[in-house]
Amino acid sequence: MNDRTDAVPAEWQQDTQDIGRLIRAVYACISGPAGAPRDWARFRYLQHPRALSLRTVVEADGSTRAAVFDVDSYIADVALFFAGNDFHEVETEQRVERFGQVAHVWSKYEARPTPDSPTVLKRGANSIQLCHEQGRWWVFCTVWDNEREGLRFDLF
């Protein structure tokens, strides 16, 4: 595994010391106005080198499938969307369960065109698995789905 602490901003290092702060930092990395560059360097730093993301895709016929990405393929997948859309993912609730060096975070969110907009583009939940090694927390896996007709998040 690469030691990615050389020339890393102190703020990024602090992000990895606290689970809540780490999750907020991930949201900050992917949020912004249409066309604004996202902080992909910081996003990569927060992710474990072997991190994966899984998004539930709803097909036109209502069936679902999993779209799975490593960090770079996730960035490539969302680049066009972020180029053309205002998108701010705002955490609304969080539940953390920790055992030793692993943690699971349920993070409910709302996507809005601006952080304080009354317009909600979508709601959903991230299931985020973290591991603690080398003196820091890493995002190891993020799995999410959006609320839709017949699907509401009601675990807490």
Side-chain angles (χ1 to χ4, degrees):
M1 183 175 328
N2 297 332
D3 178 11
R4 299 193 280 184
T5 59
D6 295 340
V8 171
E11 178 185 9
W12 295 8
Q13 292 178 29
Q14 292 166 3
D15 290 340
T16 66
Q17 300 305 303
D18 175 79
I19 291 172
R21 183 173 171 150
L22 175 62
I23 303 306
R24 287 187 299 277
V26 170
Y27 283 123
C29 290
I30 65 170
S31 295
R38 299 313 198 255
D39 195 345
W40 295 128
R42 183 181 183 193
F43 184 81
R44 285 182 178 98
Y45 179 77
L46 302 172
Q47 307 289 316
H48 189 276
R50 297 183 64 193
L52 294 175
S53 295
L54 182 152
R55 174 178 56 228
T56 300
V57 177
V58 180
E59 303 290 2
D61 66 1
S63 65
T64 59
R65 67 177 171 83
V68 180
F69 308 95
D70 64 16
V71 174
D72 288 327
S73 63
Y74 169 77
I75 292 168
D77 184 71
V78 297
L80 187 59
F81 177 80
F82 289 157
N85 295 278
D86 295 326
F87 182 84
H88 293 264
E89 206 161 82
V90 178
E91 185 176 63
T92 59
E93 288 186 73
Q94 183 184 97
R95 185 175 75 199
V96 177
E97 298 166 331
R98 180 179 175 183
F99 180 74
Q101 300 305 100
V102 297
H104 176 251
V105 180
W106 275 115
S107 178
K108 290 175 65 175
Y109 61 82
E110 295 178 344
R112 298 173 180 271
T114 63
D116 56 354
S117 172
T119 302
V120 176
L121 304 171
K122 62 182 173 180
R123 289 184 176 91
N126 288 305
S127 170
I128 306 167
Q129 289 72 48
L130 308 174
C131 65
H132 192 273
E133 65 177 16
Q134 299 178 342
R136 58 162 287 178
W137 287 103
W138 300 85
V139 174
F140 194 81
C141 185
T142 305
V143 178
W144 70 96
D145 202 348
N146 294 315
E147 290 185 340
R148 55 188 172 275
E149 184 67 36
L151 180 63
R152 296 287 177 259
F153 187 85
D154 63 359
L155 293 180
F156 58 88

